Amino acid sequence: MTTDTPARLLQLLSLLQTPREWPGGELADRLGVSRRTVRRDIDRLRELGYPVQATMGSDGGYRLVAGKAMPPLVLDDEEAVAIAVGLRAGAGHAVEGVDEASVRALAKLEQVLPSRLRHRVSTLQAATTPLTSGDGASIAPETLTVMASTVAGHERLRFRYRTKDGTESRRVVEPYRLVSTGRRWYLVAYDLDRDDWRTFRVDRVSEPFATGARFAPRELPTGNAAEYLRQSMYRRQETYGFAVTFAASAEVVAARVPGWLGVPEAVDGPGEADEPTEAGETGEAGEAGEVSGAGAERCRLRGETGDAVEWLAIRLAMVGVEFTVEEPGELVECVRGLGERLVRAAGG
């Protein structure tokens, strides 16, 4: 129970900024107070200028509508526009570091932006083109914010979906989580028509619509949306394993590789370091994939992916650390060919 009134008002305001309608009873449960206290706190917010709208009836509740009031961090017009444009630009591409939390922040901000500022954001974004972006497909920020709001509000979502072969269908789902892989956005949801869990590529979604119908969240089979997505992707596509040894510590490499590639582990070997093997070889000592005699400043990265070997080769080179590919052979040849082309390009 929140007994401090200012802290409780900020918590209430934070809840109301989620783009959904909150029943008075649910707000009371979240805050640990009575419904009467909730009504008094709503009146206090209105006195402070926050446009809280109430609806009557058994399904009635409270929601924060667009108006003059800004979030508690007290942004001026220029700051609010700058943040909204930045979040929109990042949300349009599945850029590493721009995850579901950023989309939720965008949904909250756009919920309370006055119409004059929303118009400025749209105008500025339409008039600019980013020099760099993620290498995944472009996504309308509005699509992500609608999905984020239905995830937060446990609200059923309806949309049109296009599969890989171009087949289109209408879907009604109970959204669970948005997941960013660093290159693409995915929605993990329970498909009501198919009576099963599904993952949807967000760049193939169009016409998302929040139905307003609430649902009680189901338990995800894996308990973790990212893990469910990983397993789902591996079931649908042909994958291959890889193993790479880096001439740097696991801490250094972990800070430079994206999480979807895996977690590097330090490799220590007994005695003095052996001569390094050629790319693709494992040596006769030890088990396959083990680097004999590797020191503390070496680590191995093992993983499984369905990406093209060309993409994986480039991503490994971008780590900026000397490395040796152990497997598979196709990746070894790809790295060797890439290196030869780069040497020729540099006039070697």
Side-chain angles (χ1 to χ4, degrees), residues 39-248:
R39 289 194 293 271
R40 286 202 303 264
D41 287 349
I42 292 292
D43 289 337
R44 290 191 180 97
L45 289 179
R46 288 169 175 164
E47 291 171 1
L48 293 172
Y50 291 97
V52 182
Q53 185 181 71
T55 56
M56 306 300 292
S58 58
D59 296 327
Y62 303 94
R63 67 185 306 152
L64 193 66
V65 297
K68 296 181 179 179
M70 294 301 299
L73 48 129
V74 192
L75 299 172
D76 61 29
D77 286 4
E78 285 69 26
E79 291 169 338
V81 170
I83 291 174
V85 170
L87 289 172
R88 273 173 163 245
H93 302 274
V95 182
E96 280 182 47
V98 182
D99 55 13
E100 187 188 349
S102 299
V103 177
R104 291 199 309 269
L106 176 60
K108 285 185 176 182
L109 182 58
E110 292 196 340
Q111 171 72 8
V112 296
L113 280 180
S115 58
R116 57 186 174 82
L117 294 188
R118 286 201 300 271
H119 177 71
R120 285 178 58 183
V121 170
S122 299
T123 300
L124 181 57
Q125 188 176 26
T128 58
T129 300
L131 179 62
T132 60
S133 65
D135 62 350
S138 178
I139 302 170
E142 292 81 2
T143 298
L144 287 171
T145 54
V146 169
M147 289 183 170
S149 66
T150 57
V151 169
H154 305 315
E155 187 176 348
R156 287 179 180 174
L157 177 70
R158 185 172 68 238
F159 55 86
R160 183 183 294 276
Y161 191 69
R162 174 178 49 83
T163 59
K164 183 178 181 179
D165 61 7
T167 304
E168 292 196 356
S169 61
R170 288 281 186 179
R171 303 294 182 95
V172 179
V173 303
E174 295 177 352
Y176 183 80
R177 287 290 187 277
L178 279 166
V179 181
S180 171
T181 64
R183 296 169 58 200
R184 292 191 179 97
W185 283 101
Y186 290 86
L187 174 69
V188 176
Y190 191 86
D191 192 318
L192 294 176
D193 293 330
R194 288 151 182 80
D195 195 25
D196 199 3
W197 290 94
R198 291 288 188 272
T199 59
F200 302 93
R201 271 181 51 174
V202 177
D203 59 287
R204 294 176 179 168
V205 170
S206 60
E207 303 175 22
F209 178 75
T211 65
R214 301 279 165 70
F215 64 90
R218 303 171 189 263
E219 184 176 353
L220 192 67
T222 61
N224 181 283
E227 176 62 20
Y228 180 83
L229 174 64
R230 186 187 68 82
Q231 294 181 11
S232 177
M233 292 174 67
Y234 288 164
R235 285 196 301 267
R236 291 199 306 263
Q237 64 185 21
E238 183 178 349
T239 61
Y240 60 91
F242 64 90
V244 180
T245 302
F246 290 94

Side-chain angles (χ1 to χ4, degrees), residues 236-302:
R236 291 199 306 263
Q237 64 185 21
E238 183 178 349
T239 61
Y240 60 91
F242 64 90
V244 180
T245 302
F246 290 94
S249 67
E251 291 76 12
V252 170
V253 175
R256 300 186 182 186
V257 299
W260 54 268
L261 268 182
V263 179
E265 297 182 354
V267 180
D268 297 307
E272 298 181 355
D274 295 335
E275 290 296 323
T277 57
E278 292 294 327
E281 297 179 358
T282 61
E284 295 180 359
E287 298 178 359
E290 180 179 338
V291 179
S292 301
E297 291 302 307
R298 296 178 70 83
C299 67
R300 177 181 290 110
L301 179 67
R302 293 184 183 275

Side-chain angles (χ1 to χ4, degrees), residues 20-29 35 38 58-62 214:
R20 56 163 289 192
E21 188 168 86
W22 290 87
E26 188 172 352
L27 287 175
D29 291 340
R35 295 193 181 195
V38 169
S58 58
D59 296 327
Y62 303 94
R214 301 279 165 70

